């Protein structure tokens, strides 16, 4: 794990340097949009790099897809964050309700999921080596995704708004659950119930933690919403003066 930690610290330092450079060099909204979209595309290309290499080298790309189903369906949370970044980057108007939802989801949820994907990378834990491209690719792809979502606060796209943030996280939790149900259904219908159980999209069918079977998606999502409630309340208290915080305003409306 020390090797993984050192590698990730190096990646974080690189991300910090690139963010500093982006802040100094990008001065227009058009430039911000282009950089965000380019980073989203780079992450997708990293994700599919082995498959693309097999396609051009004459390898068995179809078999690789069978062995890597998250290239076909967004099985894991970070898969959804990755595609959400690409969708947000392609939106012509960044000031719509959809853009606001994607922005909050990508940032607030993506921070947690990308850091877990880097520092608790399952592929590395199962095979602790950086000599395997598949393992290194997985870690680096999470790092490029982290850089992508950190561009949002860098360019002032993140709003500290308790009600907006909580609403968007609730919608995100529901959306992820729907996507997980769809993925598991596709595996069940197109392959088998055993395949659906093994892939366990969004941890809906069973817990990812041995000995803690109760920690399936509904429980994990409920815990996450409580933590987000606490986080957004703290941020609201930091940003607003006493009397202007969300609970103060709620008290005024109901009292």
């Amino acid at each position: 794990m020390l090797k993984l930690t050192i590698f990730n610290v190096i990646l974080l330092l690189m991300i910090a340097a690139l963010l500093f450079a982006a802040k100094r060099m990008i001065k227009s909204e058009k430039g911000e949009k282009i950089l965000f979209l380019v980073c989203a595309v780079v992450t997708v290309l990293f994700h599919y790099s082995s498959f693309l290499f097999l396609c051009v080298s004459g390898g068995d790309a179809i078999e690789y897809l069978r062995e890597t189903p998250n290239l076909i369906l967004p099985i894991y949370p970070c898969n959804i964050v990755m595609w959400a970044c690409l969708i947000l980057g392609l939106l012509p108007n960044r000031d719509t309700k959809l853009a606001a939802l994607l922005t909050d989801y990508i940032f607030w949820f993506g921070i947690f999921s990308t850091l877990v994907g880097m520092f608790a990378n399952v592929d590395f834990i199962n095979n602790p080596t950086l000599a395997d491209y598949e393992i290194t690719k997985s870690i680096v792809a999470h790092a490029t995704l982290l850089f992508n979502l950190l561009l949002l606060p860098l360019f002032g796209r993140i709003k500290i708004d308790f009600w907006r943030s909580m609403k968007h996280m609730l919608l995100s939790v529901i959306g992820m659950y729907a996507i997980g149900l769809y993925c598991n259904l596709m595996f069940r219908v197109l392959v088998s119930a055993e395949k659906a159980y093994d892939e366990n999209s969004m941890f809906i069918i069973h817990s990812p933690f041995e000995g803690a079977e109760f920690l399936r998606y509904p429980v994990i999502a409920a815990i996450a919403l409580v933590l987000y409630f606490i986080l957004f309340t703290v941020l609201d208290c930091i940003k607003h003066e006493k009397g202007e915080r969300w609970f103060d305003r709620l008290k005024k409306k109901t009292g």
Side-chain angles (χ1 to χ4, degrees):
M1 291 300 291
L2 178 60
K3 187 188 299 183
L4 177 63
T5 301
I6 293 172
F7 184 58
N8 280 321
V9 168
I10 293 172
L11 289 175
L12 290 178
L13 291 173
M14 292 174 64
I15 289 172
L18 289 171
L19 288 171
F20 178 78
K23 186 64 175 178
R24 293 288 299 272
M25 297 173 64
I26 307 296
K27 300 298 182 181
S28 67
E29 185 175 348
K30 182 179 179 181
E32 294 173 5
K33 289 181 178 180
I34 291 173
L35 178 60
F36 187 87
L37 179 58
V38 168
C39 291
V41 171
V42 167
T43 299
V44 172
L45 290 176
F46 258 119
H47 187 56
Y48 283 89
S49 58
S50 295
F51 171 71
L52 294 173
F53 175 77
L54 289 172
C55 287
V56 299
S57 65
D60 196 342
I62 300 302
E63 180 60 28
Y64 181 76
L65 281 180
R66 292 195 188 99
E67 296 173 353
T68 320
N70 69 320
L71 296 181
I72 304 172
L73 292 170
I75 301 172
Y76 306 117
C78 279
N79 296 149
I80 301 178
V81 176
M82 177 186 74
W83 291 115
C85 283
L86 185 60
I87 293 170
L88 179 61
L90 291 171
L91 289 179
N93 187 352
R94 300 281 291 275
D95 295 317
T96 62
K97 290 183 178 180
L98 175 59
L101 170 61
L102 290 175
T103 297
D104 284 350
Y105 168 70
I106 289 167
F107 181 69
W108 295 115
F109 182 80
I111 285 285
F112 171 76
S113 61
T114 53
L115 288 174
V116 169
M118 290 173 67
F119 285 90
N121 189 274
V122 174
D123 294 329
F124 183 89
I125 291 172
N126 292 333
N127 182 21
T129 177
L130 294 173
D132 187 322
Y133 177 73
E134 289 296 312
I135 297 173
T136 304
K137 177 198 75 171
S138 173
I139 300 168
V140 173
H142 280 92
T144 60
L145 185 56
L146 178 62
F147 174 74
N148 205 175
L149 62 92
L150 287 176
L151 290 174
L152 295 171
L154 185 75
F155 296 139
R157 304 300 303 182
I158 301 301
K159 310 295 183 184
I160 305 300
D161 184 322
F162 176 86
W163 293 111
R164 163 182 148 154
S165 299
M166 281 304 302
K167 179 181 73 173
H168 287 167
M169 295 317 299
L170 178 60
L171 291 174
S172 299
V173 162
I174 295 171
M176 290 178 64
Y177 187 63
I179 291 171
L181 288 175
Y182 171 78
C183 291
N184 288 328
L185 178 62
M186 287 299 98
F187 285 124
R188 178 182 290 271
V189 171
L190 299 178
V191 187
S192 66
E194 290 76 14
K195 183 64 173 176
Y197 182 88
D198 290 339
E199 297 305 331
N200 188 28
S201 180
M202 301 300 147
F203 316 121
I204 291 173
I205 300 176
H206 59 85
S207 171
F209 308 107
E210 284 189 28
E213 186 53 37
F214 70 95
L215 277 178
R216 294 185 297 118
Y217 184 85
V219 175
I220 295 172
I223 294 172
L225 287 174
V226 170
L227 294 176
Y228 281 123
F229 178 88
I230 296 170
L231 172 63
F232 296 148
T233 297
V234 170
L235 293 176
D236 188 67
C237 289
I238 294 172
K239 180 181 179 181
H240 297 103
E241 299 291 335
K242 186 176 181 181
E244 295 299 322
R245 293 155 184 168
W246 73 263
F247 44 83
D248 294 321
R249 296 194 297 271
L250 181 62
K251 190 183 298 183
K252 290 176 184 177
K253 288 182 179 180
T254 58

